[in-house]
Amino acid sequence: MKLKELAQKKERLTSGHRMCAGCAAPTVVRQVLMATDDPVVVSCATGCLEVSTTIYPSTAWDTPFIHSAFENSAATISGVEAAYQSLKRQGKIDKEIKFLAFGGDGGTYDIGFQSLSGAMERGHDMVYVCYDNGAYMNTGIQRSSSTPLGAWTTTSETGKAAAGKKQNRKDMTACIAAHDIPYVAQSSPAFWKDLTSKAKAAFDTPGPAFLNVIAPCPRGWRHGSDISIEMARLAVDTCFWPLYEVIDGEYKLNYIPKEKKPFVEWIKPQGRFKHLFKPENEHIIEELQANVDKNWAKLLKLSGEA
């Protein structure tokens, strides 16, 4: 799809919502929804996206929309999909409809993991999209299992006793790939063609599909609201957030940077990592770079590029 064609697509997340300036989540949602012309039923977990787009009595969604609890966006949409399949079998509906669930990293990696895992295992014909901003941003920037090692949050403070989060982030894309579902992918809103192509593939794939999309948060990451997409691009060019797919168990790497940038270029503009540049914490930057290098080498091998 060309950018000109994409720009002519109908917007199904309209302007006027209350997301923060520079938040990448609405960009992710718009690009995903532009990938299909079929009707879409959306389920959304409690989180930034839900509370800021559905302030009563208004809504920014030009789709059927279900607000589910924090933990069950996947369970909700899988139930709707099951009802749809029943109506089709009864001959009461013949329209092609897509089913889409959104969740942040808190509602996906942590609180909602059980319902997501169950829906994927049961094989529902649905797409689940995680907009990953690396913390519980809606409730006050608490750490999630997606928060990178060393990052400041309000529950992984910095000071004499600690230097941010003490654990590495969970590899959620790999967790879902381990469910052996037909389509799993990781993408970034800075690469619109990659994201819309993967969303189209996810919608067109019979059975469950999962997209993990990085979504910079100026408030929680402590960077300017004008550089969110730049941050989403740097995450890919440093190989912290590689673009790849797992189709029927086969890994495919979609983008190899011409020049793999040092990881420090991604964290330097982010205030949540500023304490790592003190001499006593610089070893954490080295550890982060080592983790990125290890995971990148593993992905190259899995995808047959090394």
Side-chain angles (χ1 to χ4, degrees), residues 119-126 176-185 201-202 204-210 245-251:
M120 298 291 102
E121 185 272 335
R122 291 191 299 273
H124 292 276
D125 189 6
M126 58 174 277
I176 299 300
H179 284 66
D180 198 23
I181 63 173
Y183 189 80
V184 178
D204 291 346
T205 297
F210 176 84
E245 299 166 295
V246 187
I247 305 172
D248 293 325
E250 296 293 324
Y251 279 71

Side-chain angles (χ1 to χ4, degrees), residues 1-305:
M1 186 184 300
K2 296 178 180 177
L3 187 58
K4 187 176 180 181
E5 296 170 343
L6 192 71
Q8 293 172 346
K9 290 276 187 178
K10 178 186 176 185
E11 290 278 7
R12 292 198 257 195
L13 180 70
T14 64
S15 59
H17 55 69
R18 317 289 177 83
M19 300 294 280
C20 297
C23 173
T27 307
V28 172
V29 172
R30 291 169 64 208
Q31 291 184 11
V32 167
L33 287 171
M34 285 176 178
T36 180
D37 294 323
D38 289 326
V40 179
V41 179
V42 174
S43 167
C44 190
T46 297
C48 297
L49 180 64
E50 179 272 320
V51 300
S52 301
T53 57
T54 60
I55 297 173
Y56 183 81
S58 303
T59 179
W61 295 87
D62 193 11
T63 66
F65 178 91
I66 305 169
H67 167 213
S68 61
F70 214 151
E71 71 277 12
N72 59 12
S73 183
T76 299
I77 206 67
S78 68
V80 178
E81 186 269 346
Y84 165 75
Q85 297 296 349
S86 175
L87 291 170
K88 279 185 82 173
R89 287 194 297 273
Q90 296 173 51
K92 294 180 178 178
I93 189 169
D94 56 7
K95 187 185 295 184
E96 185 67 24
I97 300 174
K98 305 298 184 186
F99 298 91
L100 173 63
F102 285 107
D105 50 287
T108 303
Y109 286 61
D110 299 330
I111 297 172
F113 183 68
Q114 43 76 28
S115 71
L116 171 59
S117 178
M120 298 291 102
E121 185 272 335
R122 291 191 299 273
H124 292 276
D125 189 6
M126 58 174 277
V127 179
Y128 188 100
V129 177
C130 174
Y131 64 99
D132 187 342
N133 54 29
Y136 291 82
M137 300 304 184
N138 178 52
T139 51
I141 319 176
Q142 296 91 358
R143 58 89 81 190
S144 77
S145 59
S146 173
T147 305
L149 172 74
W152 164 88
T153 70
T154 53
T155 51
S156 57
E157 292 283 4
T158 62
K160 290 182 180 178
K165 192 189 175 198
K166 297 177 180 177
Q167 302 83 16
N168 283 312
R169 63 185 295 276
K170 185 192 293 181
D171 187 346
M172 190 65 188
T173 309
C175 288
I176 299 300
H179 284 66
D180 198 23
I181 63 173
Y183 189 80
V184 178
Q186 190 163 280
S187 189
S188 163
F191 294 75
W192 64 267
K193 196 161 191 174
D194 180 88
L195 178 51
T196 54
S197 297
K198 286 173 177 171
K200 184 176 187 313
F203 283 125
D204 291 346
T205 297
F210 176 84
L211 298 177
N212 202 3
V213 189
I214 194 166
C217 168
R219 188 165 181 270
W221 291 18
R222 300 297 201 237
H223 63 67
S225 59
D226 58 335
I227 62 168
S228 295
I229 297 303
E230 183 181 339
M231 297 310 301
R233 180 176 295 280
L234 268 175
V236 176
D237 283 335
T238 57
C239 298
F240 170 75
W241 193 267
L243 306 182
Y244 68 98
E245 299 166 295
V246 187
I247 305 172
D248 293 325
E250 296 293 324
Y251 279 71
K252 180 181 179 183
L253 193 56
N254 308 115
Y255 176 77
I256 298 177
K258 288 181 181 175
E259 179 186 356
K260 182 171 175 279
K261 295 187 175 178
F263 182 67
V264 71
E265 290 193 24
W266 184 63
I267 64 173
K268 207 163 191 175
Q270 301 182 46
R272 62 176 176 158
F273 292 111
K274 68 178 182 181
H275 56 284
L276 298 186
F277 293 89
K278 295 179 179 177
E280 65 270 27
N281 293 331
E282 286 180 347
H283 67 95
I284 299 175
I285 297 178
E286 294 173 8
E287 190 175 340
L288 284 161
Q289 181 68 67
N291 286 335
V292 168
D293 294 343
K294 181 185 73 175
N295 293 332
W296 178 243
K298 182 180 176 183
L299 186 57
L300 287 172
K301 193 172 180 180
L302 284 170
S303 55
E305 298 287 347

